[in-house]
Amino acid sequence: MIPGLKNIMLRYTFIVVIMFVLAVLIIVKAGFIMFAERQYWKDVADRFVKENVVVLPTRGNIISSDGKLMASSLPEYRIYMDFRAGGEEKDTILMNHLAEISQGLHEIFPDKSAQEFRKHLLKGRRSKSRHYLIYPKRISYIEYKEVKRLPVFELSPNRGGLHVETFNQRKKPFGSLAMRTLGDMYPDMTQGAKNGLELTYDSILRGQNGITHRQKVMNKYLNIIDKPAVDGCDIITTIDVDMQDIAEKALVDQLKTLEAISGVAVVMEVKTGEVKANVNMTRASDGNYYEMRNAAVSNLMEPGSTFKTASIMVAMEDKYITPDYEVDTGNGMVNMYGSWMKDWNWYKGGYGKIDVTKILEVSSNVGVSTIIDKFYKNNPQKFVDGLKRMSIDTPLHLGFVGEASPRILGPKERYFAKTTLPWMSIGYETMIPPIYILNFYNAIANDGVMIKPKFVKAIAKDGEILEEIPTEVVNPKICSDTTLTMIRTILRKVVSEGLAKPAGSKQFNVSGKTGTAQISQGKAGYKSGGVSYLVSFCGYFPSEAPKYSCIVSIQIPHGPASGGLQAGSVFSRIAERIYAKHLYRDLAHAKDSTAVLIPDVKNGDIEESAYVLRALNIPGNSNTVPYSTEPLWGKAQCTHSYADLKISKPSKHQIPNVLNMGAKDAVYLLESYGLKVRLMGLGKVKAQSIPAGSPVRKGQTITLTLKH
């Protein structure tokens, strides 16, 4: 037996036991770290040891055309407490100020009492948690700064233990206003944008990621920037917050009255194509209306009677008809290849024989379909080509998710029954999103120039414009000037004398067309499960010098349906409020009851003008004009404070200048020269067909164009 073997074995056994115990302890500690303290050490790793850390840039803002912030990225925080940080010194301060801290938290977050905060903090202290959530909700930057002013929390994270998780959130100061146009972000903003302008301009708004790493320098960890983050650019939209609010309120009020399913209202600036308001409301299960989808660009529906304008323009452009072309609509019913085409008043006996102007004024289905069937039944493709020539079906590529394009298909693209053409001419058998109908009427208002609707006008960075988005021309001329003049005259009468009177205004003239269409249920037809309607009005204002175009489209689940009354009245409210918004008056020209107003004096026989000015004591030189039994021809030049009259003697051998004369004086003077006069319009003479100074030839006809 080896001497001391027993002692050696005892020592060896002791060492093995010690090693085994240490191994068990290491395994237990590792398990504790992996499971019980997993989150804490993960947070520590995130805070102190990071290589090639991605630094997210600040997403750019979305700004309205009038400079208001519509969407912006703001930080939010979750606040945590490390009860082991700071040791006994921090713990003593915490207990000494616990009541003050609890009361302060209650004042910042009133939904929890001071007593609840006190119990919550003591629970975290007993658990000695290193990552204890103080308040369950995310808080704003202002609330976070308030928390940082409280005792203990004001200390550095290593001494006081307060630390945060930071989140970037997209905020919309105007709430749901233009919500579907602006678009949404995913809850985790790193996943990007979901829809709307947020997605369309995501590459511009999101910026570029940066990279940093943490490095220990002189016993301190510093963030070393390898690549700085580049913040996103701002986009300046065409949306006007006030106009959007006006359109939304007018539409929602009507939707509630009608108990409608949904509604769209879009306002566009005629010359630039800038969309100033885009409202898309759908009724939710709670009975209220919300912006759920951008229906203005995605809804494919049969437009109904607003399409009749395009049908009539095709026939005018092909020189088949003029505004005075007459159609016998009979008793308001006509058999079209086995199917009955009816006017809205067929049960009253119809309209009988009426011209094209009246056909659109009363929105006669029989009148429009009879015209189109008569001239195009043997060649329906020619009619479809005429529509396409006006670019009503040209895809606009506006960039929105779910955007739809018109479906206007001819005989070359689908089966064409004999009834297809008549029904297509009155707005059925076609599918067109509301914004395309608006764009077509906007082209009529814009002297025939069709431009692409624009939702963003500029890209900016740090308050400076980097790029302006130009206006794009879709079609430089949708029709001839002759057709344009005729259809604009008719559309004005549709509102002033026809079924669209509710869309008009006493303050200015409106032009446009109503639409009322039954909504197809697909293969089930138009009456499966009850009849629903799409009522609409599309037009522009003021008629003489169009500034804005607008479409209102409402889907109602039942009759009676009237585009003029139900949609036109919404158009009228929107138009009048927008018009009032743009009424500006120069204060220098402000007048009260004591002010002396200088009237607008016409050229012509100034002796009569002088008599009136003298009688009214108007400042000027009217006293210098002598009394005469014969006309004293002359000119008037008036300022806001003086009326200046000048006598002139026209030559008997040259055509006189009659511009700015009234019709009576101009006709009297020209006929005294032996000329024949033809008048067009009302008001003062704005143009004469034979220029002043031309030789006089008796018997000539001179045409005078008058305007107010």
Side-chain angles (χ1 to χ4, degrees), residues 122-265:
L122 287 175
K123 180 181 178 182
R125 177 175 176 268
R126 285 193 300 270
S127 67
K128 295 183 179 180
S129 173
R130 286 188 173 274
H131 194 64
Y132 191 72
L133 184 62
I134 297 175
Y135 185 66
K137 301 176 184 177
R138 292 182 183 180
I139 66 175
S140 68
Y141 176 75
I142 294 174
E143 290 171 326
Y144 170 62
K145 296 301 287 185
E146 290 293 323
V147 171
K148 283 288 291 179
R149 290 194 179 97
L150 298 175
V152 180
F153 296 161
E154 63 186 354
L155 302 174
S156 67
N158 290 335
R159 291 183 59 206
L162 181 71
H163 55 279
V164 299
E165 286 183 6
T166 305
F167 304 88
N168 248 344
Q169 287 300 303
R170 202 67 167 163
K171 297 294 183 182
K172 295 174 182 173
F174 292 97
S176 63
L177 204 68
M179 187 170 154
R180 288 279 67 82
T181 305
L182 300 178
D184 293 311
M185 303 291 296
Y186 286 100
D188 180 0
M189 283 184 57
T190 57
Q191 295 182 24
K194 290 165 56 175
N195 47 45
L197 294 177
E198 292 277 18
L199 180 59
T200 305
Y201 289 87
D202 184 57
S203 61
I204 293 168
L205 289 165
R206 69 171 176 244
Q208 298 177 15
N209 293 341
I211 298 176
T212 67
H213 71 274
R214 293 183 70 84
Q215 182 174 325
K216 193 171 184 179
V217 178
M218 298 192 62
N219 210 31
K220 291 184 179 179
Y221 281 97
L222 302 178
N223 285 322
I224 308 299
I225 298 175
D226 300 314
K227 177 185 175 184
V230 179
D231 291 340
C233 295
D234 301 333
I235 60 171
I236 301 174
T237 71
T238 61
I239 299 294
D240 183 294
V241 170
D242 293 337
M243 291 192 197
Q244 181 78 21
D245 190 45
I246 287 169
E248 181 173 311
K249 188 177 188 311
L251 179 64
V252 170
D253 287 348
Q254 184 72 317
L255 295 179
K256 290 179 179 178
T257 301
L258 298 174
E259 297 181 348
I261 298 170
S262 62
V264 167

Side-chain angles (χ1 to χ4, degrees), residues 395-459:
L396 296 173
H397 303 297
L398 300 174
F400 291 102
V401 172
E403 177 184 346
S405 295
R407 296 176 185 171
I408 302 176
L409 306 178
K412 296 179 181 178
E413 300 151 301
R414 63 158 174 160
Y415 171 71
F416 232 67
K418 288 186 176 181
T419 56
T420 301
L421 183 63
W423 263 264
M424 175 185 275
S425 70
I426 62 169
Y428 292 94
E429 306 265 357
T430 61
M431 305 290 279
I432 305 177
I435 201 164
Y436 281 80
I437 293 293
L438 174 62
N439 205 40
F440 173 69
Y441 278 81
N442 192 82
I444 295 172
N446 194 28
D447 298 325
V449 182
M450 180 178 283
I451 52 181
K452 180 178 176 179
K454 186 163 59 172
F455 288 85
V456 172
K457 62 194 300 186
I459 298 168

